[in-house]
Amino acid sequence: MDVWVAHCLLLWAVHFFPAASRTALRVLSKESKAENQQEDCINLIPCKDNGAICIQPCSPSFHGETSFVCEERKWQMFTDACANLDVQSLFQRISVRDLLPSSGGHVSVAGGHLPFVGKGKPVHGKPGDTGKYFGSDDLGNSNCQADFSCIIPDILSSPAVPGNIADIVELLKKISLLLSVNVDRGKMQSYSRIANHILNSSVISNWAFVKDRNASSILLDSVNLFAGKLLLKNGSESIQEHFISTKGYSVHKNSSGKSFDFSMEFNNTGNITGHVVIPEEELFKLPKTSKAISIAFPTLGAIIETSRLDPVSVNGMVLSVSLPEELLHILLTFEKVNKLENVKAVCVGWHSTERRWDNRACKMKSDNISNVVCICKHHHRTFKSFSILMSPTMLRNAVLDYITRVGLGLSIFSLVLCLIIETVVWHHVTKTEITYMRHFCLVNIATSLLVADVLFILAAIVHNAALNYKLCVAATFFLHFFYLALFFWMFTLGLLILYGLLFIFFKITKSAFITAAFFIGYGCPLVISILTVAITVPKNGYLRTGGCWLNWYETKALLAFVVPALSIIVVNVVVVVVVVVKTGRSSVGEGCKSQDLSSMIRISKNVALLTPLLGLTWGFGLATIVDSRSLAFHVTFALLNAFQGFFILLFGTLLDRKTREALRMNCLSSRRKCSLVKIQGPDNSEDGSHLTRL
């Protein structure tokens, strides 16, 4: 995992705000019927409230309805279910002779019964009416059942509008589930021609308005299931369409490594290639002669994107395989669609159960400007389709990686040193209740950040090692908890500062403070973390795709980190403003330039001291949101946050006068020379009379 990218996403969820303003709605230039429906909505219902829905019937030649949603005072198309195909009728034409029962709406499959899925009714009519489906001869012309060819003209002549796309996906699903016996070349050719009609690059934009957002995933699973049943004649088979290609080979343990090569049209600008290799050492595992099938989809990756909010995009063709269970690993080479140097490429597998891209299925072997080589783990139930992803908003820069690695290492070292120093001087610096409370908060801030930084590294290792899902969930839970604990302890310190400045005559006991501080510092994060897991894990929406961290695009689990963190930063900014105001008041009316300068110095010192301790450096992540492609903003953010542990050591411990004096006394008493006491830092007694109580 790109360490800097993961760290930035972890620290401030850089992509949260852009995604929050982005919606799944797209304005598509469609034919006049859609424009007329939109005008009808404008005339009937004023678009005032965002999210309002307007539903319009289809034109007379179509059935279904079109939905519009109000966004920014304009009606925009949301879903289009208008279709002129009859899925039930088409399916009956290719299945009635073998599968339709004499009565009822069920079909016989492997000795059992399954209800028809989808709209429509069973065929009824006079004896001999089926001749219009199967031909005029008495036998009913079995060619329709043999290769599905009779429904091809109807499908190819229909427009690939969203409603028809949904119906064709449903038809292909039913064929895969119910008619995948004895799949020969003829059936596979017809099946491919039907799928090719809705995989055409010219209709990709129409998928955005298909009502079922999982339609593309259903299509992928259906094609994989049907192609996996393909019978191989003479040991091999190859069926090519413009936007789907299927190849198969017979394989056995004595075979040399088998490969599948694809070169297919992606759009009008040219072709892209893909290459699948079954290593020879994998073939040795085969107990008997088997078959290996591979399917290539040059446009399906772009189609899947239209129904997802994830900013990453597929940057190559989707390659599917159907292999014997004994074959676990394959080698895939993808040609990049967008050959850019500043984007991150990730090898992924499509998790057919969770319906998402999962990079735990693959690891990258090599990556250059034009091609990516992946080693992927095949599983007949979960991982059968693979591709590569890119994210144009992710900067790939060696400087950022270096800053993050060095910063984390220095931060962990500094926090350990901070805790050691606090242990040594504890009895000397906690003689009063207010100093005890201050150092108590400081120790817990350092402890929380130290554990969080270590867990961050472990989470990256777990992710890169593609270990099991439960371990990644555990790492994310504790990472979430300790980063929240860091913020809540910084919040506690902010409240303590306000207490010292504003409630001079009100005293709080040490026991009451410890109880309240533990409840705020650890109790609140624990409740938030547990609720987040309990709500999102059952929906398979706890983890983000591509790392051990909270999900945003499916379940918004990331809000459980961003909302508390942002709220605490706002509160602590108010605390700093109060400190600045209190510090500045002492010089009001003195009229001396030297006093004004001294006041400005005191204010600057207070702000510098409080900024890392109260977590205000995290607020600089907003700059990366304003311009996510600016390297300068990302470098600044990485420097401030990766080195936060060092800043806590410097401003919270080493520049504290009482801590330095306690170290000096401890060193003198033990008759050791201590280099730390030679640090010439500013005297905290000059840092503002209103902070002396802390």
Side-chain angles (χ1 to χ4, degrees):
M1 179 172 63
D2 188 312
V3 175
W4 176 81
V5 171
H7 195 242
C8 269
L9 188 138
L10 173 64
L11 294 180
W12 188 232
V14 170
H15 301 295
F16 160 68
F17 288 99
S21 62
R22 188 188 302 113
T23 69
L25 308 177
R26 300 167 177 85
V27 181
L28 189 65
S29 296
K30 301 198 70 174
E31 47 215 275
S32 58
K33 73 179 185 71
E35 295 174 356
N36 293 337
Q37 291 170 318
Q38 190 172 8
E39 290 178 2
D40 291 340
C41 283
I42 294 173
N43 295 331
L44 291 174
I45 308 173
C47 178
K48 294 182 178 179
D49 300 324
N50 284 344
I53 300 294
C54 173
I55 298 176
Q56 289 293 307
C58 302
S59 60
S61 58
F62 289 77
H63 59 269
E65 61 186 23
T66 303
S67 300
F68 294 86
V69 66
C70 180
E71 187 182 75
E72 297 179 355
R73 297 188 177 274
K74 292 182 180 179
W75 288 111
Q76 297 183 1
M77 184 181 289
F78 185 50
T79 62
D80 182 3
C82 295
N84 63 352
L85 288 174
D86 187 345
V87 175
Q88 189 66 24
S89 174
L90 292 173
F91 185 74
Q92 288 170 347
R93 288 167 64 181
I94 59 177
S95 63
V96 65
R97 199 158 186 80
D98 292 335
L99 293 175
L100 280 185
S102 57
S103 62
H106 291 72
V107 294
S108 299
V109 180
H113 295 279
L114 290 175
F116 278 126
V117 181
K119 300 177 181 178
K121 299 178 181 179
V123 171
H124 297 287
K126 301 176 182 179
D129 281 352
T130 54
K132 63 182 179 181
Y133 299 130
F134 302 107
S136 58
D137 59 307
D138 294 337
L139 295 177
N141 189 358
S142 61
N143 285 340
C144 202
Q145 296 126 28
D147 59 10
F148 313 148
S149 59
C150 64
I151 65 173
I152 299 296
D154 289 346
I155 292 175
L156 298 188
S157 63
S158 66
V161 294
N164 281 342
I165 289 175
D167 284 349
I168 292 173
V169 169
E170 179 67 19
L171 175 64
L172 293 173
K173 175 184 175 182
K174 294 168 76 172
I175 292 174
S176 298
L177 292 174
L178 304 176
L179 302 179
S180 57
V181 179
N182 299 323
V183 179
D184 57 12
R185 179 179 177 84
K187 285 185 177 180
M188 194 67 225
Q189 282 181 322
S190 296
Y191 194 95
S192 297
R193 292 186 68 188
I194 297 172
N196 187 76
H197 183 57
I198 57 176
L199 290 170
N200 195 300
S201 58
S202 63
V203 302
I204 291 176
S205 57
N206 289 356
W207 282 83
F209 303 100
V210 175
K211 193 170 185 179
D212 186 354
R213 297 298 181 186
N214 292 318
S216 55
S217 176
I218 294 171
L219 174 64
L220 178 59
D221 292 338
S222 300
V223 174
N224 288 343
L225 175 62
F226 193 80
K229 305 291 183 63
L230 178 62
L231 302 175
L232 304 180
K233 290 185 178 181
N234 301 321
S236 66
E237 194 64 84
S238 179
I239 299 164
Q240 178 85 30
E241 294 289 335
H242 283 297
F243 302 102
I244 179 173
S245 179
T246 305
K247 296 184 179 182
Y249 293 106
S250 293
V251 292
H252 53 86
K253 64 187 307 179
N254 295 323
S255 302
S256 57
K258 284 290 183 181
S259 64
F260 304 84
D261 296 300
F262 300 95
S263 179
M264 303 180 68
E265 181 181 349
F266 177 71
N267 51 34
N268 295 331
T269 61
N271 292 2
I272 57 172
T273 61
H275 187 64
V276 182
V277 176
I278 305 174
E280 190 171 345
E281 57 270 21
E282 287 291 314
L283 293 175
F284 285 148
K285 301 175 183 178
L286 291 176
K288 60 181 179 179
T289 300
S290 305
K291 65 180 179 181
I293 308 292
S294 184
I295 313 105
F297 308 88
T299 58
L300 186 58
I303 288 172
I304 291 175
E305 290 174 35
T306 63
S307 59
R308 297 177 62 83
L309 298 178
D310 202 316
V312 297
S313 59
V314 178
N315 198 25
M317 64 171 57
V318 176
L319 294 175
S320 294
V321 292
S322 178
L323 305 174
E325 294 184 15
E326 293 82 3
L327 303 184
L328 300 179
H329 296 91
I330 53 175
L331 196 67
L332 303 105
T333 302
F334 299 93
E335 180 185 358
K336 295 180 180 179
V337 177
N338 295 319
K339 299 175 175 63
L340 302 175
E341 293 184 355
N342 65 333
V343 296
K344 180 183 178 182
V346 183
C347 298
V348 291
W350 182 257
H351 199 299
S352 57
T353 302
E354 299 178 5
R355 290 176 174 172
R356 63 180 178 86
W357 292 112
D358 193 335
N359 63 355
R360 292 176 296 175
C362 301
K363 62 181 180 180
M364 186 181 297
K365 184 178 181 182
S366 65
D367 181 10
N368 57 48
I369 193 171
S370 58
N371 292 285
V372 177
V373 180
C374 307
I375 301 175
C376 295
K377 178 176 58 178
H378 166 265
H379 190 278
H380 69 286
R381 289 186 178 178
T382 52
F383 297 118
K384 300 178 70 173
S385 304
F386 308 92
S387 190
I388 55 173
L389 301 183
M390 61 169 282
S391 178
T393 60
M394 289 185 179
L395 294 173
R396 188 177 185 180
N397 192 286
V399 175
L400 297 173
D401 291 343
Y402 180 77
I403 290 173
T404 301
R405 291 188 176 95
V406 173
L408 278 176
L410 181 60
S411 180
I412 291 173
F413 173 78
S414 300
L415 292 168
V416 172
L417 184 59
C418 174
L419 293 175
I420 292 175
I421 292 174
E422 287 292 328
T423 302
V424 171
V425 303
W426 183 259
H427 294 292
H428 298 284
V429 298
T430 57
K431 293 181 179 179
T432 64
E433 287 189 352
I434 193 69
T435 56
Y436 177 91
M437 297 174 187
R438 176 188 179 277
H439 283 273
F440 186 79
C441 289
L442 181 63
V443 167
N444 281 280
I445 289 172
T447 302
S448 298
L449 182 57
L450 174 62
V451 176
D453 283 347
V454 172
L455 285 172
F456 170 77
I457 296 174
L458 293 178
I461 294 173
V462 168
H463 164 68
N464 286 336
L467 297 180
N468 62 64
Y469 172 78
K470 291 183 179 179
L471 191 58
C472 196
V473 168
T476 301
F477 172 81
F478 287 107
L479 197 60
H480 184 205
F481 170 74
F482 279 103
Y483 268 107
L484 281 179
L486 168 66
F487 273 97
F488 276 95
W489 276 108
M490 291 188 294
F491 173 64
T492 304
L493 180 60
L495 295 179
L496 181 63
I497 292 173
L498 287 180
Y499 160 71
L501 291 173
L502 303 179
F503 301 97
I504 300 175
F505 301 105
F506 177 79
K507 289 186 177 181
I508 184 173
T509 63
K510 187 185 297 185
S511 59
F513 169 77
I514 292 176
T515 302
F518 265 101
F519 175 78
I520 296 173
Y522 293 121
C524 293
L526 184 62
V527 171
I528 295 173
S529 301
I530 291 175
L531 287 176
T532 305
V533 169
I535 293 171
T536 59
V537 166
K539 303 176 183 178
N540 291 321
Y542 184 58
L543 301 178
R544 64 177 284 265
T545 301
C548 295
W549 184 233
L550 299 174
N551 180 289
W552 162 249
Y553 296 101
E554 285 77 26
T555 61
K556 307 296 186 293
L558 190 58
L559 287 174
F561 171 71
V562 174
V563 172
L566 183 60
S567 302
I568 290 171
I569 288 174
V570 171
V571 172
N572 285 351
V573 167
V574 174
V575 172
V576 173
V577 171
V578 172
V579 170
V580 170
V581 172
K582 285 285 187 177
T583 304
R585 281 183 179 177
S586 61
S587 60
V588 173
E590 294 178 0
C592 179
K593 290 185 177 180
S594 61
Q595 290 294 335
D596 291 341
L597 179 61
S598 176
S599 176
M600 291 299 296
I601 293 174
R602 287 198 302 270
I603 291 173
S604 300
K605 287 179 180 179
N606 287 337
V607 172
L609 288 168
L610 294 177
T611 295
L613 294 178
L614 297 183
L616 303 190
T617 55
W618 293 63
F620 285 90
L622 293 173
T624 64
I625 296 169
V626 174
D627 186 358
S628 62
R629 294 180 179 272
S630 173
L631 181 60
F633 288 162
H634 283 275
V635 169
T636 303
F637 181 59
L639 281 170
L640 290 173
N641 288 282
F643 288 85
Q644 187 179 11
F646 171 74
F647 293 143
I648 290 175
L649 171 68
L650 179 64
F651 294 111
T653 302
L654 298 182
L655 293 183
D656 181 71
R657 178 177 55 83
K658 292 183 179 180
T659 301
R660 294 200 310 275
E661 290 178 354
L663 282 174
R664 185 183 295 111
M665 292 173 57
N666 187 74
C667 291
L668 291 175
S669 63
S670 60
R671 297 182 178 180
R672 296 177 181 175
K673 293 183 178 180
C674 183
S675 60
L676 288 176
V677 299
K678 298 181 181 179
I679 296 176
Q680 299 299 321
D683 195 333
N684 278 10
S685 63
E686 298 178 359
D687 288 347
S689 58
H690 299 286
L691 290 178
T692 55
R693 295 186 67 209
L694 299 182

